[in-house]
Amino acid sequence: MKVKKLQYGLFAVLFASLTLTAQSVVAVKPDLKYEEIRLPQPGEVQATATKRVTARLTQTHYSKFALDQAFLEKMFTRYLNFLDYNHNTFLQSDVDELRSQANKDLQQGLYSGDLTLAFKAYDLMSKRRYERYVYLLSLLDKEPNLGEDDQIEIDRSKMTTWPTDTAELDKLWLQRFKNDVITERLKNSKWSDIKKKLRKRYNLAILRLNQTKADDVSQLFLNAFAREIDPHTSYLSPRSAKSFTEDMNLSLEGIGATLQSEDDETVIRSLVPGAPAERSKKLAAGDKIVGVGQGEKGEIEDIVGWRLDDVVDKIKGKKGSTVRLEIEPAKGGKTRIISLVRDKVRIEDNAAKLEVNKVENRNIGVIKIPSFYLGLTDDVRKLLAQAAEKNVQALIIDLRENGGGALSEAVSLSGLFISDGPVVQVRDAYNRIRIHQDPDSAQVYQGPLLVMINRYSASASEIFAAAMQDYQRAIVLGQQTFGKGTVQQSRPLNFVYDLDQSPLGFIQYTIQKFYRINGGSTQIKGVDPDITFPSLIDGEKVGESSEDNALPWDKVPAANYTVMPTLNAAIRYLTPLHQKRIAQEREFIALEKELEIQKERSERKFLSLNLKNRQDENRSDEARRLKALNERFKAEGKKPLKNIDDLAKDYEAPDFFLREAEHVAADYVDFLGENK
């Protein structure tokens, strides 16, 4: 149930790229000749894994899809996009030739385990990428002119065509080269240091072309197959399966961040609640990791162009040891170095917690639930007893960033707040519907209830929030949730009788869909709040609806349940009070200004390659942030900062979203008192 982008290997074989023209004069030579690169070859393990993945998905996946020509064409396009994320490595003629062969051989290859086409495409990609890196190295002979009115396209991943010739590729990667240089110049680096760093980076990328294994290629190819069915179906090679099992058992020592490779960059997709990365408050989804250093003083090693699994191995380490990360913020601006102390990520560190605050003379309780772990309901039951002892007058269940967990806990937790009845409906691939009921008739907490959600609340969080909303039991605050209404199961590809068979890896695939008790699916639509809070999260780029092949929203008949007294009057009363308050609250005013800037930037298709323009924008960003911080410090009676770099490393911004939710809760208590 848990929404989690697999951090190992799904796109780990994506590399950066550049092109070499016949006329190029190579002043800086590559450390490795192309003839020295050992290209991987498919073996019996990869063939067997392919046949079993094909059989399992065509026979048991929820979608009951057909492996027809239309599907195969889209699948192979996805594979090409995996190989060439930004459409800047292959030529259109390369793509046309590969597609022609796919039209003849792809279907039979999947059933028979023949990966000749997949490896041919990968080999051609490796050759083209080698040429691109050689071209990049040739550009290091001369410092680029960064005063021109040039620009680079920010995202080419949605392109449907490829460059027609090497001249077009050269233009794209000259822009890429300039952007690399600007990124370093924004750190106040000299050209001599930049040249040295980029030479090392580009040569390292070439060397890594020589480290690809057959499992890497087959995993990428089979994930093109799996991901074409739906976004949460995937294949994990034996090495990736081992890493994923460690992670799901929460025995992995590291920082607790889910990573994904996009082109040659490592991007943080999510943070594990309670883990070092999340606790630091210094990282956010979308941030890029461009360097890793060991210890407090270890050299920061450039990891741009690295394989994702190698990046993960570099970040992992013994509990108590320090890792330093060089981060390019998702919101833009220059890179920064942060230090994190590695720790074991365990469920007990991620338990629900109660906080009680006095707001407008009201005792408002907040139970923060980071995930739906086994034992959650028992923990919350104890917290509710503590809340009663502290005379809590209203309760907020905070599900922000909660990606899900155990279905059984979502059902039993809902039961603490209702007397009895259905909580969620589940439909399988054979259209059989099962209704999960509240397991007992006891309603532990009967007082005013609010639920906080945001775009990263998913799966089990959506089940709980939807049930509370459908019963009219709670007022839901925040933003629309993720919209993950599907259930996956993981199965090894090895059979019990495979006595001499090497490990084949795991397959994770969709087997069911969730439906609210009102009949509507949580898939794609998620849960809409009753009272909306502003957010910097772009719903069009985050969530199930942002996926190009998400399973559709649909509905089933409503379950039989009794709605509690309507909350419509309370919502009508609370909404204008909330809107008036955030219109006057300093933090929300600053957020609104930031939203305008981020909206404008999210709509950009090109990024300036003029160094002065980029420096001016960075200075403007830092000045705006410094002003907002000093306004906050002034209100808090603290000394203002002279420079943004003076901000304490352990500084934690106030949670003004939660503070506003507490005010809404206090208003809710007043409303109920006036309308008894």
Side-chain angles (χ1 to χ4, degrees):
M1 283 176 59
K2 188 145 184 160
V3 167
K4 183 168 185 182
K5 296 282 187 183
L6 300 181
Q7 70 183 36
Y8 303 102
L10 296 187
F11 309 102
V13 199
L14 299 175
F15 300 96
S17 55
L18 292 170
T19 259
L20 173 68
T21 62
Q23 294 80 24
S24 295
V25 177
V26 182
V28 180
K29 293 184 178 181
D31 293 343
L32 188 72
K33 296 179 180 178
Y34 180 73
E35 294 75 21
E36 298 174 309
I37 295 178
R38 298 182 304 276
L39 296 173
Q41 300 298 320
E44 187 59 36
V45 169
Q46 292 76 39
T48 303
T50 299
K51 288 186 285 187
R52 293 189 183 180
V53 166
T54 303
R56 180 66 61 89
L57 292 182
T58 54
Q59 294 170 16
T60 60
H61 193 278
Y62 178 88
S63 295
K64 299 296 182 184
F65 66 97
L67 201 60
D68 55 19
Q69 192 62 32
F71 178 91
L72 292 168
E73 287 178 3
K74 289 188 290 185
M75 170 203 159
F76 194 69
T77 295
R78 190 172 295 272
Y79 180 53
L80 293 173
N81 289 334
F82 280 3
L83 291 175
D84 188 3
Y85 181 78
N86 273 322
H87 289 214
N88 56 14
T89 301
F90 285 129
L91 293 169
Q92 186 62 52
S93 56
D94 297 331
V95 172
D96 292 342
E97 180 184 345
L98 291 169
R99 277 182 170 154
S100 175
Q101 186 173 342
N103 289 337
K104 296 183 293 183
D105 303 336
L106 186 54
Q107 185 184 65
Q108 183 57 38
L110 286 171
Y111 283 121
S112 66
D114 185 353
L115 292 171
T116 302
L117 175 61
F119 278 72
K120 177 181 177 180
Y122 180 84
D123 292 352
L124 181 56
M125 180 275 295
S126 296
K127 182 175 186 296
R128 294 286 183 251
R129 291 192 187 282
Y130 182 87
E131 294 168 352
R132 302 302 107 218
Y133 285 120
V134 172
Y135 175 68
L136 260 189
L137 288 168
S138 76
L139 297 175
L140 288 171
D141 187 46
K142 181 180 179 183
E143 184 174 4
N145 182 357
L146 303 178
E148 298 174 330
D149 189 21
D150 198 3
Q151 56 187 7
I152 184 172
E153 193 168 4
I154 295 173
D155 183 9
R156 289 176 49 86
S157 63
K158 301 296 189 293
M159 298 284 290
T160 57
T161 59
W162 273 260
T164 57
D165 53 34
T166 54
E168 189 176 347
L169 285 172
D170 286 349
K171 180 179 179 181
L172 290 174
W173 287 102
L174 175 59
Q175 294 166 353
R176 158 70 179 272
F177 173 67
K178 287 183 176 181
N179 193 55
D180 286 347
V181 175
I182 286 177
T183 299
E184 298 304 317
R185 286 292 302 272
L186 292 176
K187 305 174 194 174
N188 299 317
S189 300
K190 302 177 189 176
W191 168 245
S192 58
D193 294 330
I194 294 172
K195 180 176 179 179
K196 180 179 178 181
K197 182 173 185 176
L198 293 183
R199 175 177 180 171
K200 181 179 179 181
R201 176 186 296 179
Y202 301 151
N203 267 307
L204 181 61
I206 288 176
L207 291 173
R208 290 191 178 278
L209 289 174
N210 204 31
Q211 299 172 6
T212 304
K213 298 177 174 57
D215 273 354
D216 299 324
V217 181
S218 63
Q219 178 174 255
L220 199 69
F221 179 69
L222 291 176
N223 269 304
F225 178 16
R227 289 302 178 94
E228 187 54 46
I229 308 169
D230 83 282
H232 306 289
T233 295
S234 56
Y235 164 70
L236 289 81
S237 70
R239 177 182 177 182
S240 298
K242 180 177 181 294
S243 298
F244 181 63
T245 301
E246 287 178 344
D247 187 31
M248 293 307 290
N249 288 337
L250 295 177
S251 62
L252 183 67
E253 291 183 351
I255 64 171
T258 303
L259 309 179
Q260 177 178 315
S261 182
E262 293 181 358
D263 200 14
D264 62 338
E265 297 176 317
T266 300
V267 180
I268 296 174
R269 303 315 308 168
S270 64
L271 303 177
V272 178
E278 191 270 339
R279 291 199 306 264
S280 74
K281 307 300 180 184
K282 299 173 185 176
L283 292 169
D287 288 351
K288 297 175 182 177
I289 302 176
V290 297
V292 180
Q294 306 301 327
E296 289 290 350
K297 298 181 180 179
E299 179 186 355
I300 299 292
E301 190 170 3
D302 185 67
I303 54 97
V304 176
W306 281 33
R307 292 164 48 102
L308 184 60
D309 45 10
D310 288 338
V311 175
V312 171
D313 287 343
K314 192 79 173 175
I315 294 174
K316 288 188 329 188
K318 291 184 178 180
K319 177 180 178 180
S321 62
T322 299
V323 62
R324 290 158 64 233
L325 306 178
E326 184 177 1
I327 300 296
E328 284 186 9
K331 298 178 182 178
K334 65 182 181 182
T335 63
R336 63 177 187 271
I337 307 293
I338 68 168
S339 295
L340 297 172
V341 178
R342 298 179 177 100
D343 199 356
K344 275 190 178 292
V345 184
R346 292 192 180 278
I347 285 296
E348 55 264 32
D349 301 323
N350 196 21
K353 294 178 177 61
L354 170 68
E355 178 183 332
V356 179
N357 295 314
K358 183 78 74 174
V359 181
E360 298 174 16
N361 250 350
R362 307 293 189 185
N363 292 331
I364 306 299
V366 179
I367 295 180
K368 173 66 177 175
I369 301 178
S371 70
F372 282 77
Y373 57 89
L374 294 176
L376 168 66
T377 304
D378 290 338
D379 286 351
V380 173
R381 192 188 305 272
K382 295 173 185 176
L383 296 178
L384 291 175
Q386 295 174 22
E389 292 174 0
K390 296 180 180 181
N391 298 314
V392 163
Q393 295 168 273
L395 182 67
I396 299 170
I397 302 296
D398 187 354
L399 298 179
R400 291 174 299 167
E401 278 79 43
N402 185 321
L407 171 62
S408 58
E409 293 293 341
V411 174
S412 57
L413 183 71
S414 300
L416 299 181
F417 303 99
I418 61 175
S419 57
D420 55 29
V423 174
V424 64
Q425 304 184 84
V426 180
R427 183 170 70 178
D428 65 17
Y430 303 98
N431 290 321
R432 295 175 299 198
I433 297 175
R434 178 184 176 188
I435 300 177
H436 293 264
Q437 301 274 348
D438 175 5
D440 59 52
S441 59
Q443 185 176 351
V444 177
Y445 176 78
Q446 300 179 16
L449 182 65
L450 303 94
V451 177
M452 282 193 81
I453 55 174
N454 68 4
R455 193 61 170 166
Y456 293 110
S457 305
S459 202
S461 292
E462 295 174 292
I463 290 171
F464 176 82
M468 295 301 100
Q469 192 175 58
D470 290 345
Y471 274 107
Q472 294 278 295
R473 176 64 186 91
I475 295 174
V476 180
L477 312 174
Q479 299 95 31
Q480 183 190 40
T481 58
F482 192 92
K484 182 183 182 292
T486 58
V487 188
Q488 285 74 42
Q489 71 175 7
S490 294
R491 291 288 183 268
L493 289 177
N494 288 80
F495 299 144
V496 292
Y497 51 78
D498 283 341
L499 300 180
D500 299 322
Q501 176 65 59
S502 301
L504 298 172
F506 276 72
I507 186 168
Q508 178 170 286
Y509 58 100
T510 301
I511 58 169
Q512 296 171 325
K513 283 180 75 174
F514 290 123
Y515 296 86
R516 302 171 66 141
I517 55 176
N518 70 8
S521 175
T522 55
Q523 175 67 6
I524 295 183
K525 290 188 177 182
V527 178
D528 287 317
D530 299 311
I531 298 177
T532 302
F533 283 20
S535 172
L536 280 171
I537 303 171
D538 188 345
E540 294 183 0
K541 296 182 179 180
V542 175
E544 195 79 1
S545 60
S546 68
E547 300 287 351
D548 63 355
N549 63 334
L551 296 185
W553 179 90
D554 58 357
K555 60 188 302 185
V556 298
N560 184 19
Y561 67 103
T562 302
V563 177
M564 296 182 181
T566 180
L567 295 176
N568 290 341
I571 294 169
R572 287 196 300 269
Y573 173 85
L574 297 172
T575 300
L577 294 176
H578 157 71
Q579 292 173 340
K580 180 179 179 181
R581 195 161 39 239
I582 67 171
Q584 299 171 347
E585 217 286 322
R586 183 190 68 258
E587 297 287 0
F588 281 98
I589 292 172
L591 176 63
E592 194 64 34
K593 293 178 181 177
E594 190 68 24
L595 280 170
E596 293 176 5
I597 294 171
Q598 295 303 324
K599 184 177 185 299
E600 183 273 326
R601 291 186 181 176
S602 69
E603 294 173 351
R604 285 181 184 174
K605 294 186 177 180
F606 296 91
L607 184 65
S608 173
L609 291 175
N610 182 289
L611 178 60
K612 183 178 182 303
N613 291 345
R614 295 278 287 277
Q615 289 172 329
D616 289 346
E617 184 171 276
N618 274 2
R619 282 191 287 266
S620 175
D621 288 344
E622 291 187 357
R624 187 176 70 255
R625 187 179 178 214
L626 182 63
K627 180 181 177 182
L629 282 169
N630 282 336
E631 287 177 353
R632 178 186 296 161
F633 289 170
K634 181 180 179 181
E636 296 173 348
K638 296 179 181 178
K639 185 179 179 181
L641 301 173
K642 292 183 179 180
N643 190 291
I644 196 68
D645 294 331
D646 297 334
L647 184 67
K649 291 183 178 180
D650 60 351
Y651 174 73
E652 185 173 336
D655 189 348
F656 53 92
F657 286 94
L658 180 57
R659 190 167 60 200
E660 170 57 22
E662 291 173 333
H663 281 291
V664 174
D667 291 341
Y668 189 20
V669 174
D670 292 341
F671 170 81
L672 293 173
E674 295 172 6
N675 292 273
K676 273 190 174 179

